[in-house]
Amino acid sequence: MAFVFAHMDRPEILGVMRRIHLSLLLLLLAGPGQAATYTLAIEPSDSSSRLEQLYRPLADYLSQSTGETFEIQLAPNYLAYWQRIKKGGAYDFIIDSPHLTDYRIKHQNFLPLMRANGDMSFSVVTLKQSADIKAEGLVGKNVASLGPPSLPYLLFHKLYPNPMRQPKLVAVDGASEAIDKLRSGEALAAVIPTSVAASTDDVIAIAETERVPNLALSAAPTVPAHLRTSVVNALGTALSNPEIATLLQTLGVAELTPVNAEDYVGQAALLEGMWGF
């Protein structure tokens, strides 16, 4: 640099120094103070477009509340999701069902943060015009459901423990598509959240799965403790945000509460027999 300066007059030297000082200042400003990006994974309980639309307000709310950037990550289906989970390290925060929450707590040291209050279950529904159908009459018949290892699939198949006497799966992206398959005659029954079944006028429940703990948000062990605390604090007051309140209402959730990890112990047993468990 001294060699360069030796061939410049004073105004040129001052100009170079100003540019150097400006570059150093920009580097400092873009350093530690820059927001980090964290992934927020959502279980593939519906189409990717629907989930992106549904959860975008939550990601934006967390970004605004914590000062960090939350980026939604989605998998095309449950098998792809399960493969990513087994590999580990794919996500920073995850919202999903109790069996996968328990799996990551046990095997990947994830930390549960918040949960939807209450329990959840799934209803086996058919059209009201077919109300004479019984659950036992679905053996060998088409039933629309999310595929394995989704919670509705696993809980539904507990109703049919004999592997030789089970319904045929019609794989769908979510409850709305399952109902469409029912209405089109492509499936005789559908497995959908009980809260959705209760608000769908033309279907009737013929069976209900066991009840399990509701959805939970958990964080990877690599997430800084201060950020976990910020997320918990933000979600503790999330109902004051109209968009988050709408999201929870859509999910059939009244409120978000801190997680008691004991509530989820044993839920991963539903995955026994799944490839890679």
Side-chain angles (χ1 to χ4, degrees), residues 74-202:
L74 302 169
N77 54 57
Y78 254 97
L79 282 178
Y81 186 59
W82 174 232
Q83 289 172 349
R84 291 182 191 179
I85 286 176
K86 288 191 290 115
K87 290 179 181 178
Y91 308 120
D92 298 311
F93 293 90
I94 305 184
I95 298 175
D96 63 10
S97 298
H99 60 317
L100 297 178
T101 297
D102 185 34
Y103 174 86
R104 283 191 313 280
I105 292 173
K106 287 182 176 179
H107 299 284
Q108 297 175 351
N109 298 316
F110 266 67
L111 302 164
L113 302 180
M114 297 288 281
R115 60 163 291 181
N117 71 308
D119 295 334
M120 64 190 303
S121 68
F122 296 85
S123 289
V124 184
V125 301
T126 189
L127 294 176
K128 286 184 176 179
Q129 63 199 46
S130 306
D132 56 335
I133 295 173
K134 306 299 181 184
E136 54 269 24
L138 296 177
V139 172
K141 301 295 193 299
N142 288 348
V143 175
S145 171
L146 289 170
S150 71
L151 190 61
Y153 175 90
L154 295 174
L155 290 178
F156 173 64
H157 277 76
K158 287 187 71 174
L159 301 175
Y160 302 88
N162 184 345
M164 303 301 293
R165 292 186 53 78
Q166 294 185 336
K168 295 179 181 178
L169 171 68
V170 176
V172 295
D173 285 339
S176 58
E177 187 181 357
I179 295 171
D180 287 343
K181 295 290 185 185
L182 193 60
R183 291 169 177 162
S184 69
E186 296 174 71
L188 186 58
V191 185
I192 59 177
T194 297
S195 58
V196 175
S199 61
T200 306
D201 293 337
D202 59 343

Side-chain angles (χ1 to χ4, degrees), residues 6-274:
H7 292 77
M8 295 179 178
D9 56 25
R10 181 176 177 79
E12 289 177 310
I13 293 174
L14 291 176
V16 171
M17 293 300 293
R18 289 192 191 98
R19 288 194 292 272
I20 292 173
H21 290 159
L22 180 59
S23 298
L24 290 173
L25 178 60
L26 290 175
L27 286 172
L28 289 172
L29 291 175
Q34 189 176 32
T37 298
Y38 292 89
T39 55
L40 173 62
I42 312 297
E43 66 169 341
S45 58
D46 212 320
S47 67
S48 293
S49 59
R50 170 63 173 155
L51 292 174
E52 172 68 32
Q53 178 187 30
L54 192 62
Y55 283 94
R56 171 51 52 192
L58 177 61
D60 292 343
Y61 173 76
L62 290 175
S63 296
Q64 181 180 15
S65 299
T66 65
E68 309 294 357
T69 300
F70 283 73
E71 183 180 90
I72 292 176
Q73 283 202 0
L74 302 169
N77 54 57
Y78 254 97
L79 282 178
Y81 186 59
W82 174 232
Q83 289 172 349
R84 291 182 191 179
I85 286 176
K86 288 191 290 115
K87 290 179 181 178
Y91 308 120
D92 298 311
F93 293 90
I94 305 184
I95 298 175
D96 63 10
S97 298
H99 60 317
L100 297 178
T101 297
D102 185 34
Y103 174 86
R104 283 191 313 280
I105 292 173
K106 287 182 176 179
H107 299 284
Q108 297 175 351
N109 298 316
F110 266 67
L111 302 164
L113 302 180
M114 297 288 281
R115 60 163 291 181
N117 71 308
D119 295 334
M120 64 190 303
S121 68
F122 296 85
S123 289
V124 184
V125 301
T126 189
L127 294 176
K128 286 184 176 179
Q129 63 199 46
S130 306
D132 56 335
I133 295 173
K134 306 299 181 184
E136 54 269 24
L138 296 177
V139 172
K141 301 295 193 299
N142 288 348
V143 175
S145 171
L146 289 170
S150 71
L151 190 61
Y153 175 90
L154 295 174
L155 290 178
F156 173 64
H157 277 76
K158 287 187 71 174
L159 301 175
Y160 302 88
N162 184 345
M164 303 301 293
R165 292 186 53 78
Q166 294 185 336
K168 295 179 181 178
L169 171 68
V170 176
V172 295
D173 285 339
S176 58
E177 187 181 357
I179 295 171
D180 287 343
K181 295 290 185 185
L182 193 60
R183 291 169 177 162
S184 69
E186 296 174 71
L188 186 58
V191 185
I192 59 177
T194 297
S195 58
V196 175
S199 61
T200 306
D201 293 337
D202 59 343
V203 304
I204 186 171
I206 59 175
E208 184 179 345
T209 69
E210 66 183 83
R211 302 191 68 82
V212 294
N214 221 321
L215 298 172
L217 169 70
S218 56
T222 53
V223 173
H226 72 86
L227 180 56
R228 298 198 305 266
T229 300
S230 295
V231 167
V232 169
N233 290 339
L235 292 179
T237 59
L239 278 173
S240 61
N241 183 297
E243 290 185 304
I244 306 304
T246 298
L247 165 63
L248 297 182
Q249 183 179 13
T250 302
L251 296 175
V253 174
E255 62 178 332
L256 299 173
T257 61
V259 171
N260 180 354
E262 294 298 317
D263 291 345
Y264 293 83
V265 171
Q267 294 299 319
L270 286 168
L271 291 165
E272 291 178 1
M274 282 300 307

